[in-house]
Each structure stands twice: as C-alpha cells, then as structure tokens.
Amino acid sequence: MMSGILVISEHRNGELRPVSRELVGAAVALKDATGEPLRVAVIGEAPERYVAELKLAGVDEVLTVQAVVDAFDPEIYEASVRALIEARQPSLVLLAHSVDSLGYAAPLAVKNGYGFATDVFGIERDADGWVATRAGYGQKVNIEVDFPGRSVVVLTVRPGAYKPVETFGEPSVSAVPAPAVTPRSQHLGFEEPAGGDDVNIPGAEFIVSIGRGVGEEDNVEEFKELADSVGATLGCSRPIADAGWLPKARQVGQSGKTAAACKLYVAMGISGSVQHMAGMKHVETIVAVNTDPEASIFTIARYGIVGDIFDIGRELRNHF
Amino acid sequence: MRSSPDRSGTARRHWRELAERACTDEAPFAAAALYPYAAPRERAGLEARMFGERRDRLLLASAPFVAPAVLARLAALDDGGAVQLRLARNPATSAAALGALWRADASPRLRQLIARHARTPRAVLGQIAAAAGEIETLRALCENGGVAAEVLATVSERRIGVLQRLLAVNIATAEDTLLALWAEADDEAVRAQILLHPHCPDVLLATVPASLLERRCLARQQRAPRALLAELANDRDAAVRRAAAENPGTPLAALVANCFDADATVRHAVAARRDLPPALAGCLVDDADARVRRALARNPACPPELLVRPATDADAEVRRAAARHPHCPHELLDRLSRDEVTWVQAAVAYRDELPYAVLRRLARSSDVDVLAGVARHPATAPSRLARLAIHDCPDVRRAVILNPRTPRMVLRLLRQDGYALHRAMAVDHPRFADTDRWRMRDDPDVQVRFRVFQHFARRDAMPAAHEASVHVTQLSHYQPHPPKEHMETT
C-alpha cells in the first residue's frame, strides 16, 4: 500500500529554489489533513549542502540522492525520482511546475503508469484518492482531476500557489542510493535569460502594471515613479513592451512573465485580455483601475476603481 | 456593405470556398467575417452556422471584433438574458441593436449596461434620464462617455445627491449644469470635480478655495487665471504646487522658485514642462533627484547641448532618457549605443533616425530589447530582418512583423510561426500578399482564420477601382499594434 507525500526540491547554481519551500508548504497542509508522512528529497552532486535548508517544520525525513553532476539533468532526475518512489512508496509526489520538471515529469509518469497532472494549484484527498485542481480552457475554468486506479500520483505544482514554509524542524536525514545513469548531456554553464533590466516579475510580491491606458511613452515615467514610491515592481502588458517603452522582462502575460509570487497586483489602464490575465489572474489581491467599468479586468479584480489612472496614480503618490 | 457584391471570377471562386469553409468551421467567427459582405441568399447558411448553437451565440455576442451587422442580427433573435447582456456590454453593438434591446423587456442589469453604452441612442438615454427609477441605472448613465449634455442636465434636475460627483466628472456636462451642481453641492469632492471640469464656469475660477482637494483640482484647471495659478504655485501643499507646475497655464515666472522646491515631485513637474526655458533647464540638469534629471533629459524643450550631462549620468534611466530625447545629437547617440546597460542601448535602437553604423552595431547585440528595436527600425536591411524573423525569442520575431517596411519575403518566414498572434499580425501587414494570406485560410488558429476571411470578404466587396488607392493608404495607416480586441488562442 502506497502512503506518504514525497516532495522533490529544486536548486540552481548552488542555491535552493524558493519554490521548494512552497512545495513543502503544500505538502504540510496535506499531511495535516491526511496524516501521511512527508519526505523531501534533494538530488545533486553534494546534496548534503541543501539539507539544512530543507529541515523545515512538518517534514519527517530529508532524503538525499548523490548525482554525478549538480546541475539539473532530466535523465538523472527521472531515474532518481523513480528510485525514491520505489524506496519510500509514496502515494503523492510533488514537483515544481518549472522548466526542470517539464524535462522529466511526463516520461517518469508515463513509463511507470503513475497518475499525472501539471500546473496544479489545489490538492485534496477524498475517499477515492488524490484530487488535483488545475486550470483549463485557457485559464477560463478550474478543472478537478482524479486518478482512479493509480497508486502513485505525480503533480507539478504552480509556483506561487502555496505559502512557503519558513520555520525549521528536526527531520531525520537518509541517503538513497543513486541509480546508475550516464547523462547524455553536458552542463556547460548557466546563463540568465536576456532581459532589459534586473527586474524579477516572477519573484515580485507587489506589482503595479500598466497597459495601453498610459497613452504615450512620456507617461510611463509617472508610473515608474508611482511604483518606486509605493515599493512595487513595475510591470506592463504586451503593447507597452512591444512599443519599447518598458523592457520585455517587465511584460506580464502569456507572451511574457507570470506574476508567480505576487500577492498584490495593481492593474492600471489594462483592459484585461485573456493573454494578460493568464499571467496574473491567480494573484490573491488584484486591484484594477480603468475608465471602462465593463473592462474584463474587473471580472477578476478583488477591488475595482472606475476612474482615470493618472488621477488615481497622483492620489496614491500623495499618500507616500 | 453591398447587398449583391459583383465579384470577378477568381474572387467568386474564393468567396465560394470561403463560404463553404465558414459554414463548416469549428468556430462561428469565419462565418461572422463573411456575413456583412454576403448576398442575401448566402446569409441563411452563414446565419445557421453563427446562430445554430447557443454556445456560438454567446461567443459572438461578446466578441468586439465582429461586425455590427452580426450583432444586430443576434440582438433581433430574442435569445434571452445572457446573450442580451453580452451584447449590451459589447462596444461594437450598434445603436439600432441597443435600441432593440431596450424595447425588449430589459432586466435591471441590462438597463444599466444600455445606459452606460456609448452607442445607445440619445432618445433611449433621454428616457432613462427622465424616468429611470433605479439609482444604478442612472449612475451608469452618468458614467456614459457618449451621453449628450441635455441628457445629463435632465438627470441633474432630478437632484439626486449620490449622482452629483458623477455628473461633475462627466466630460459632457454643460456649464449651466455645473453651476447648478455647485449651488447644491455641499461635498468638497463634488466641488473639486467641478473646478477641474473643462466646462467649469469662469465665475468659479476667480478665487483660491480653502479646501485642499479643491485647490489641488483648481491648480490643474488650464482655464484658471494666470495670477491665481501663480499663487497656487506657491501653495503650502506640495501636491498643489506640483499640479500648478504641471499646468501649462501657469506663468513661467512663477516657476522659478519651483525649480528649487524642497519637494522633488514639484521640481520634476517643472522639468517636464514642454515650454521650459533653457535657463530653467540649466537649473535642473544637475538636480539631486534622478527622477527630475530623467524628466528633463527626455523633455523636447531641454536644449540638445545640455544633453551631454544626462548622457553621462550615473543613473542608467537618466542616460536612457537622454537617448529618447527627440533631438539627441548623433555623437551622443553613438556613445549611448555603446552604453554598458542594454536598456539604454535599446532606447537608441528604437529611434527612427540613426546613423547606419550605429544601427549595424546594435544589430550585433544579443539583447532582446535591443534586437526588437533593430527589428522595428525602418532602415534595417531585409537580410537582417530575415535573420531576426527566425530568432528564438518571440518578442524579436514579433518586432519584425511590427515593422511596416518588412518585405513580403521576410513576412513569409513568419507565416507558420508557432505563435498564433504573430500569424494574425502577419495577415494584417500591408506588405503581405493576398496569395500568402490565401494560403493561411486553413490556419489552425480561429482568430487567424477570422482575419483571413475578413480580409478577402472586404477586398472582394470593394470596387476594384479603389483597390490600388486602398493599398497605398493601408501602408500609411498601418498600425504597428494589433487591434486591442485581438484574441490569442495559443
């Protein structure tokens, strides 16, 4: 009988990725609801260097798998996660929905007959087993997926969907023997994707985003100042980036970045195209400012202001 | 629109094929693209495809890019609440269709939407203003951007307190209505809006009000007397001083002190003035606040000879602002194109007038923003555009399509771009040929097909004699941004 929750952590350039603690956050909530033990695994050339950061509250065991390289390799991860599942027999395996897991999660699930869903932002357990919630039809509906007949379910979890665990605990630490894998690829180096400035839209917790409503390039400055004064990161919709008014790195949406860690998103002069909303509609608190009371953005906003973005921006600045 | 289009042989074959495809298309949009141009005998088949399924009727009702004729037909179907609500929200719905919805037994929510719609007939709005009982419907009417002054006056005469501020905000409210509102209003927010209104009566602009909110709004009023604005430029409140400094009506002499204001936002407002004299620009060029220097550097009124300092500023955004100055000298652009920050280089790349050597150097960059600027540049060579059209980054490929001078041979490289938005934009490009568009009639993306079908339907409904001139105007009116309503589906 499979039982337990296994979290596969991620690291890059020698640092644990924040999403790993979010996965633990999701798993701790499930452990509290189901009583199943929680294990966190780390795969790397020297996995012990990440162990201290993974000794988080709620974790029962930290598992290490020594790999021949520290950088991500899909074949090493696929074989290692399979070995971990065979060693600990979990019923649920949580991976980050990231560029790494895209490289091995699907073949892992298909080759071994595991249940599988991607980009999940809700997980429950009912009488019949695990139920995952993900978006469908271009983010227009939420879909609940169950996995009848699957003893192991692998889910990739949307970054930003769960609160990270920040407190530490006293889990045991065990090493799991590494499977014999000869990587077919060689890691040469890590290069940050090209971007116009140092902005980190996926990591920003507070974003003020502008759209066509700003009218002209000179007005962008006003919102840059607003974002600076309220301590927000400035984002934008596609037309603003296409016009060269803000760097592509600040573009939110389907063709840009996802506001993954955002807690407060202020959309100014953004009507709310499906493409833009795909990058921010999951944010817990959305404030929309638009002169058109019927703008689509108001359908997902928690707070809506029908008004001129310049007036509202000016008023906001007066308070900071 | 022509009821019986006279099409040539090829056009007739094209039309027949498109009509057959539209009637079997998985989405109703292809039929909607042809419908306004179809002969009456062809419309029945298209209507069957468009309106046969409720799901499709709902889709069409909320699509702002379909022709008003389709929406008008849909409004006449008496299809129940959801479709009607979507039609009333759709900005493309015609006045006649809205009138028909109003005459039907409109629900309270539908009445609100009709009251707010910019195309609602004036007679309907007049009825609402005079007789509507629900406050939400009247509120929606006051928010209507296309309403006539007389209609708003009718609402004002009903003396409903909660509507006063909305009436004061509406740009169409007439002077006498504002005066009546002023007499009734005891809320400073309402009075402040009246002072800000472009039709604000002169009599109200004679004295400086006591309340802060009113002073802030009066300071933004362009018709306020110059002496009064000069007084407000020295107000104790920084937001009032800033508003006065931004106001083009404020005399320059009153702004000298604002150049040295303790509040950086006031200095910033002066630095951004389009009528800034060189002497004041000189006072601000070394301002301690980078935002002030940024505003000055991009201000066309800043003399080009002063740009040397912003162009070497320690703050990258100030250097970028200098690169965006419309009269930035070529030698500075050359220097800025070598800036250590690629976002500064990108500001140079997005300028239309560039020395060829600078453009060539920028084209060797690996930065996405710089390359996107090069891809949009009117002087970029077709061979370079061809390389950028197959760039890994979709933003760079999209910039190639956004360049109105991109030749057909390069656009053809993007005909099968993996990103549907790019294919849809290519269909609209003035240098794309009809033979290329025709090959895209079975594109997997519904919006791309809609644009292809719409293009041929429009073209073939157009008298041949006008085609050449239309092509010329297409080039001059090409909008580098796709229409707001574009739907991406992949």
Side-chain angles (χ1 to χ4, degrees):
Chain A
M1 176 68 181
M2 301 292 195
S3 176
I5 303 161
L6 175 63
V7 167
I8 309 298
S9 64
E10 282 194 5
H11 53 86
R12 188 166 292 157
N13 281 345
E15 287 186 14
L16 197 71
R17 298 194 63 218
V19 71
S20 303
R21 282 192 286 274
E22 293 174 20
L23 292 176
V24 175
V28 166
L30 295 170
K31 177 187 168 184
D32 292 345
T34 65
E36 296 203 16
L38 165 56
R39 299 180 178 93
V40 180
V42 56
I43 303 162
E45 191 176 23
E48 58 282 353
R49 80 161 89 150
Y50 304 107
V51 166
E53 283 186 86
L54 289 172
K55 286 185 166 180
L56 296 166
V59 176
D60 298 302
E61 185 181 19
V62 177
L63 302 165
T64 60
V65 181
Q66 187 168 21
V68 290
V69 291
D70 202 51
F72 171 77
D73 178 274
E75 283 161 327
I76 291 176
Y77 266 66
E78 183 186 333
S80 300
V81 176
R82 188 185 306 116
L84 285 162
I85 293 172
E86 285 166 4
R88 290 296 185 273
Q89 308 274 304
S91 63
L92 178 66
V93 181
L94 300 182
L95 318 177
H97 186 68
S98 67
V99 68
D100 288 2
S101 69
L102 288 176
Y104 75 95
L108 170 75
V110 171
K111 285 180 194 168
N112 298 283
Y114 304 148
F116 183 49
T118 59
D119 200 16
V120 165
F121 51 80
I123 310 167
E124 284 180 319
R125 177 153 200 152
D126 67 13
D128 298 321
W130 295 107
V131 179
T133 306
R134 56 160 298 164
Y137 296 102
Q139 314 269 337
K140 286 182 181 145
V141 296
N142 291 346
I143 298 171
E144 290 188 346
V145 186
D146 58 7
F147 310 92
R150 307 291 181 176
S151 55
V152 180
V153 172
V154 176
L155 303 176
T156 69
V157 178
R158 178 182 290 183
Y162 289 91
K163 285 202 167 71
V165 175
E166 306 286 4
T167 53
F168 291 91
E170 291 290 330
S172 60
V173 180
S174 315
V176 172
V181 183
T182 308
R184 288 185 295 170
S185 56
Q186 188 187 355
H187 179 76
L188 298 177
F190 184 79
E191 204 170 299
E192 284 290 345
D197 56 7
D198 296 331
V199 69
N200 177 17
I201 290 288
E205 293 197 348
F206 177 16
I207 296 174
V208 170
S209 209
I210 54 173
R212 287 173 191 270
V214 298
E216 52 190 74
E217 184 179 5
D218 284 356
N219 297 335
V220 172
E221 191 70 18
E222 199 169 327
F223 293 93
K224 218 177 257 177
E225 288 168 20
L226 172 65
D228 285 347
S229 53
V230 300
T233 300
L234 184 66
C236 66
S237 62
R238 182 180 54 73
I240 302 298
D242 273 351
W245 296 354
L246 281 176
K248 311 289 184 198
R250 291 186 185 265
Q251 184 182 327
V252 177
Q254 203 165 31
S255 51
K257 303 281 189 297
T258 299
C262 189
K263 306 282 190 293
L264 172 60
Y265 191 93
V266 181
M268 305 198 80
I270 294 175
S271 59
S273 68
V274 173
Q275 299 72 46
H276 184 77
M277 294 203 288
M280 45 67 77
K281 68 185 291 186
H282 59 277
V283 176
E284 194 175 330
T285 305
I286 296 170
V287 181
V289 186
N290 204 298
T291 48
D292 177 8
E294 301 302 329
S296 307
I297 194 81
F298 288 122
T299 61
I300 58 162
R302 174 166 290 192
Y303 303 103
I305 302 172
V306 177
D308 181 88
I309 56 170
F310 298 99
D311 287 347
I312 305 297
R314 211 170 279 128
E315 275 309 309
L316 263 176
R317 267 194 311 174
N318 287 340
H319 292 275
F320 289 88
Chain B
M1 190 186 98
R2 290 155 40 125
S3 56
S4 297
D6 180 18
R7 301 184 176 97
S8 69
T10 307
R12 266 199 305 276
R13 277 198 308 280
H14 278 177
W15 177 271
R16 268 201 305 275
E17 181 179 336
L18 290 178
E20 281 169 19
R21 282 174 177 267
C23 289
T24 55
D25 197 281
E26 63 183 23
F29 300 112
L34 301 185
Y35 186 78
Y37 308 99
R41 66 179 182 285
E42 295 163 329
R43 286 193 163 189
L46 296 173
E47 283 186 16
R49 175 62 199 91
M50 288 191 296
F51 306 138
E53 300 275 343
R54 179 173 163 75
R55 185 186 61 173
D56 292 335
R57 295 197 295 276
L58 286 165
L59 273 176
L60 288 169
S62 55
F65 49 85
V66 302
V70 174
L71 300 175
R73 186 74 190 96
L74 192 50
L77 290 179
D78 189 19
D79 200 27
V83 170
Q84 289 180 336
L85 287 176
R86 289 187 182 205
L87 282 168
R89 285 183 63 162
N90 190 332
T93 302
S94 65
L98 290 162
L101 291 173
W102 176 254
R103 285 189 294 278
D105 190 16
S107 64
R109 175 66 178 140
L110 184 58
R111 286 198 291 273
Q112 282 169 33
L113 291 170
I114 292 171
R116 188 180 283 131
H117 201 292
R119 294 191 183 199
T120 298
R122 187 169 165 171
V124 171
L125 294 177
Q127 286 175 37
I128 295 171
E134 307 115 351
I135 204 73
E136 286 306 319
T137 303
L138 289 167
R139 193 190 294 271
L141 175 68
C142 294
E143 288 171 349
N144 190 326
V147 69
E150 293 79 3
V151 174
L152 293 172
T154 306
V155 178
S156 174
E157 284 161 13
R158 295 177 66 176
R159 292 190 163 74
I160 302 171
V162 293
L163 300 179
Q164 284 179 337
R165 197 186 64 80
L166 292 173
L167 285 165
V169 168
N170 197 309
I171 207 88
T173 304
E175 185 177 336
D176 50 351
T177 306
L178 291 170
L179 205 53
L181 280 171
W182 183 272
E184 293 165 19
D186 51 7
D187 180 352
E188 70 177 68
V190 176
R191 292 199 304 270
Q193 286 297 338
I194 293 171
L195 291 173
L196 189 57
H197 200 285
H199 302 148
C200 179
D202 288 338
V203 66
L204 302 181
L205 301 176
T207 52
V208 174
S211 94
L212 180 60
L213 194 56
E214 288 172 68
R215 292 206 310 280
R216 284 180 181 174
C217 286
L218 182 59
R220 290 166 58 197
Q221 172 58 264
Q222 296 194 19
R223 288 176 33 247
R226 289 162 63 87
L228 195 141
L229 287 172
E231 191 180 338
L232 291 169
N234 291 306
D235 195 275
R236 63 184 178 278
D237 179 70
V240 176
R241 296 198 302 276
R242 183 173 69 226
E246 284 169 350
N247 193 328
T250 304
L252 289 170
L255 298 176
V256 177
N258 292 141
C259 283
F260 306 98
D261 199 290
D263 190 297
T265 65
V266 179
R267 303 197 304 273
H268 175 275
V270 179
R273 282 182 71 106
R274 291 294 188 260
D275 56 353
L276 187 72
L280 293 192
C283 294
L284 295 164
V285 73
D286 291 322
D287 195 279
D289 192 293
R291 291 173 300 176
V292 177
R293 301 198 302 276
R294 245 149 60 182
L296 180 71
R298 68 181 310 122
N299 186 346
C302 177
E305 56 273 19
L306 266 191
L307 289 175
V308 176
R309 271 131 90 181
T312 52
D313 199 284
D315 185 298
E317 285 290 349
V318 178
R319 299 199 300 278
R320 177 181 158 80
R324 298 301 295 159
H325 188 286
H327 309 300
C328 186
H330 278 186
E331 59 271 22
L332 285 187
L333 289 177
D334 183 69
R335 181 193 295 178
L336 291 163
S337 73
R338 301 167 199 263
D339 196 281
E340 60 183 13
V341 176
T342 53
W343 182 229
V344 178
Q345 296 174 20
V348 180
Y350 271 88
R351 296 181 67 99
D352 278 358
E353 73 317 329
L354 269 186
Y356 183 65
V358 172
L359 182 61
R360 201 171 48 187
R361 182 177 333 108
L362 290 169
R364 288 197 291 267
S365 172
S366 60
D367 180 79
V368 166
D369 289 297
V370 176
L371 288 178
V374 171
R376 290 186 60 149
H377 200 278
T380 299
S383 56
R384 177 81 63 192
L385 289 174
R387 283 198 289 279
L388 295 172
I390 54 171
H391 196 275
D392 284 345
C393 175
D395 295 318
V396 177
R397 301 200 303 274
R398 187 163 61 250
V400 173
I401 310 173
L402 289 167
N403 186 340
R405 292 173 190 254
T406 298
R408 178 190 170 200
M409 55 166 268
V410 176
L411 291 168
R412 288 176 68 174
L413 297 171
L414 292 153
R415 204 173 56 198
Q416 293 186 321
D417 193 280
Y419 197 16
L421 169 70
H422 295 176
R423 303 198 301 276
M425 290 163 76
V427 170
D428 286 347
H429 199 285
R431 299 209 174 204
F432 212 42
D434 278 355
T435 47
D436 304 321
R437 293 190 181 95
W438 183 248
R439 289 196 182 101
M440 295 173 76
R441 66 194 183 281
D442 54 0
D443 189 281
D445 183 81
V446 60
Q447 178 72 0
V448 177
R449 293 199 303 279
F450 174 79
R451 288 181 179 222
V452 171
F453 279 55
Q454 189 181 52
H455 172 84
F456 284 103
R458 273 184 188 156
R459 186 200 67 173
D460 296 339
M462 203 171 282
H466 292 169
E467 276 188 44
S469 62
V470 166
H471 181 70
V472 171
T473 50
Q474 270 185 332
L475 269 173
S476 57
H477 286 98
Y478 177 60
Q479 294 292 316
H481 291 307
K484 185 178 176 181
E485 63 272 15
H486 178 84
M487 296 191 311
E488 287 167 65
T489 52
T490 55

